[in-house]
Amino acid sequence: MESRIKIIAGPCSAETRDQVLETARALAKTGIYAFRAGLWKPRTRPGMFEGVGSKGLEWLQEVKRETGLKVCCEVATPEHLHQALEAGVDILWIGARTTADPFAVQALADAVKGEYISLLIKNPVNPDVELWAGALERFMNAGVKDISLVHRGFSSYGNQIYRNLPLWHIPIEMKRRFPDIPMLCDPSHMGGKPQLLAPISQQALDLMYDGLMIECHINPDQALSDKAQQITPIQLEKILSHLTVRENVQDQQSLESFRSQIDSLDESLFQILSRRMEISRQIGHYKQQHNMPVLQSKRYSEIVENRSDLAESMGLDRDFAKSLMEIIHKESVKVQLDSPQVSAT
Ligand code: PEP
Ligand code: MN
């Protein structure tokens, strides 16, 4: 793997000294850039493994001494940050749940003042480009110079192919606003399963991302968190050896790069359309239950007018927007009519 691409790999969580050291030794042989391990784990539900906490810092110090790898962990509070810096952790990352909380981000930015740190900022769990930009600005305002972003996908409701939707247009917008800030991809949290790691990683490299963060465990079946998505260091090596790195950094405006952007934006378009149709289906149920007609022409005219104004304000052609809304509306009515009859009992 070409060195322009920084690979950060390691377990979702540090669990035991042996698990950390064995994973790190195996990964060091693959030539990764840095070793990751979560010590304080933000868990969605209580009662799950919440990490080993500060005791894992010693294991990271051992990894650093023995393998020479840079080490990194997540910090969510000023207390974590001070402990990690004190222990010599080289890179800190802000997790997706923390990025979504401006109070927590500001508290960390205040705690960082005067310290030299390397920082990764994951996208917020919700698809809000302003929150992500806000977190970046809070740390830039605190004087942090070495910052990269990590695109790990966005939460959504319902069963999806992805654990977290890529919504590629959001990192593309961040890149447009902050062209000098490196962008990494975390295909592990995005895909949620090993089979998706290679295709997502390649898509990120085609979009000229600067690195990948991938969860690796010496024994994934025994992992205490994110078991379904972790791979072994050997599997990582295999995936990396099949990836193609686009070398033409100077030539970011190349046709290939434009095409990758179009492919990714089309994927986002269809993800959004699929969510829109799902809501239409729910509206279909609601109308059936309340004995309402599917077609409500006043609402339809309002939508077409309002969306045409919106599209025009974004520099799109008004007639194009109208035709597009007509096609979407036609499909939406079909979906509502097709939605299964709900029993009246
Ligand atoms: C992690 O990297 O293990 C993690 C908790 O990530 P995220 O904040 O992206 O969910
Ligand atoms: Mn994880």
Side-chain angles (χ1 to χ4, degrees):
M1 162 85 23
E2 160 51 37
S3 60
R4 180 179 81 71
I5 301 301
K6 289 186 173 153
I7 306 293
I8 300 176
C12 177
S13 304
E15 298 164 2
T16 64
R17 178 177 174 273
D18 284 352
Q19 168 249 6
V20 167
L21 279 156
E22 282 174 34
T23 310
R25 282 180 197 127
L27 285 171
K29 292 189 198 133
T30 69
I32 61 167
Y33 170 74
F35 178 78
R36 62 151 281 158
L39 308 180
W40 300 280
K41 297 304 296 179
R43 303 317 302 273
T44 305
R45 308 283 302 274
M48 299 162 99
F49 175 62
E50 293 192 329
V52 294
S54 48
K55 128 173 136 195
L57 288 167
E58 284 169 28
W59 307 337
L60 290 184
Q61 286 172 328
E62 265 189 87
V63 167
K64 201 170 151 165
R65 268 200 309 274
E66 193 184 310
T67 64
L69 287 172
K70 290 182 192 300
V71 291
C72 58
C73 74
E74 173 172 353
V75 292
T77 66
E79 176 72 8
H80 298 162
L81 183 129
H82 293 309
Q83 289 187 36
L85 290 181
E86 180 86 358
V89 173
D90 304 284
I91 305 167
L92 307 176
W93 88 76
I94 307 299
R97 289 157 194 79
T98 308
T99 309
D101 176 357
F103 287 130
V105 171
Q106 191 56 54
L108 286 159
D110 292 342
V112 104
K113 285 220 168 82
E115 306 265 13
Y116 179 82
I117 62 163
S118 292
L119 191 68
L120 306 173
I121 307 177
K122 290 199 170 196
N123 67 252
V125 272
N126 53 326
D128 184 340
V129 77
E130 301 305 332
L131 264 181
W132 203 2
L136 174 59
E137 286 160 353
R138 286 178 202 276
F139 285 106
M140 291 197 302
N141 292 344
V144 184
K145 299 273 181 295
D146 182 6
I147 309 182
S148 299
L149 298 172
V150 182
H151 173 213
R152 52 75 84 192
F154 302 88
S155 306
S156 69
Y157 186 69
N159 245 343
Q160 304 278 349
I161 302 171
Y162 298 100
R163 178 177 176 197
N164 289 293
L165 292 176
L167 304 181
W168 295 97
H169 59 288
I170 294 181
I172 289 172
E173 172 59 14
M174 286 296 282
K175 198 73 202 160
R176 190 190 66 77
R177 292 194 198 181
F178 305 99
D180 299 330
I181 302 286
M183 179 72 73
L184 277 61
C185 181
D186 169 347
S188 300
H189 290 90
M190 193 181 286
K193 39 180 113 55
Q195 322 69 290
L196 288 182
L197 295 176
I200 296 173
S201 300
Q202 189 59 59
Q203 203 164 347
L205 297 188
D206 291 346
L207 285 168
M208 303 304 283
Y209 277 39
D210 305 283
L212 301 168
M213 181 191 261
I214 300 186
E215 284 190 345
C216 279
H217 192 290
I218 197 70
N219 191 354
D221 289 343
Q222 304 295 318
L224 298 181
S225 61
D226 286 350
K227 181 164 145 169
Q229 71 197 28
Q230 303 204 59
I231 55 170
T232 63
I234 293 173
Q235 287 173 305
L236 176 75
E237 197 162 19
K238 189 154 174 231
I239 290 175
L240 296 181
S241 71
H242 286 93
L243 293 177
T244 307
V245 179
R246 310 283 169 213
E247 268 321 305
N248 223 347
V249 195
Q250 306 306 326
D251 194 15
Q252 294 220 356
Q253 302 298 301
S254 71
L255 195 54
E256 209 164 17
S257 161
F258 281 137
R259 283 181 175 153
S260 298
Q261 290 190 43
I262 291 281
D263 291 349
S264 302
L265 292 173
D266 282 351
E267 189 180 330
S268 292
L269 260 177
F270 281 110
Q271 277 161 355
I272 289 168
L273 280 174
S274 144
R275 273 157 57 201
R276 196 184 190 283
M277 291 305 159
E278 182 47 42
I279 294 185
S280 294
R281 212 164 277 126
Q282 290 171 15
I283 293 179
H285 282 304
Y286 182 89
K287 287 180 178 166
Q288 273 173 17
Q289 279 172 334
H290 295 82
N291 231 353
M292 291 162 76
V294 163
L295 196 62
Q296 292 177 327
S297 39
K298 184 162 166 280
R299 162 83 179 147
Y300 175 50
S301 322
E302 275 169 15
I303 286 190
V304 173
E305 272 316 299
N306 164 302
R307 305 301 191 265
S308 306
D309 291 347
L310 185 70
E312 210 169 21
S313 75
M314 295 177 176
L316 291 169
D317 183 84
R318 198 175 178 88
D319 291 337
F320 163 70
K322 264 193 170 141
S323 325
L324 190 62
M325 278 322 295
E326 278 161 16
I327 297 173
I328 293 175
H329 184 259
K330 197 168 146 209
E331 181 65 15
S332 180
V333 168
K334 190 170 137 240
V335 162
Q336 288 190 34
L337 287 171
D338 286 352
S339 68
Q341 295 292 316
V342 179
S343 146
T345 54

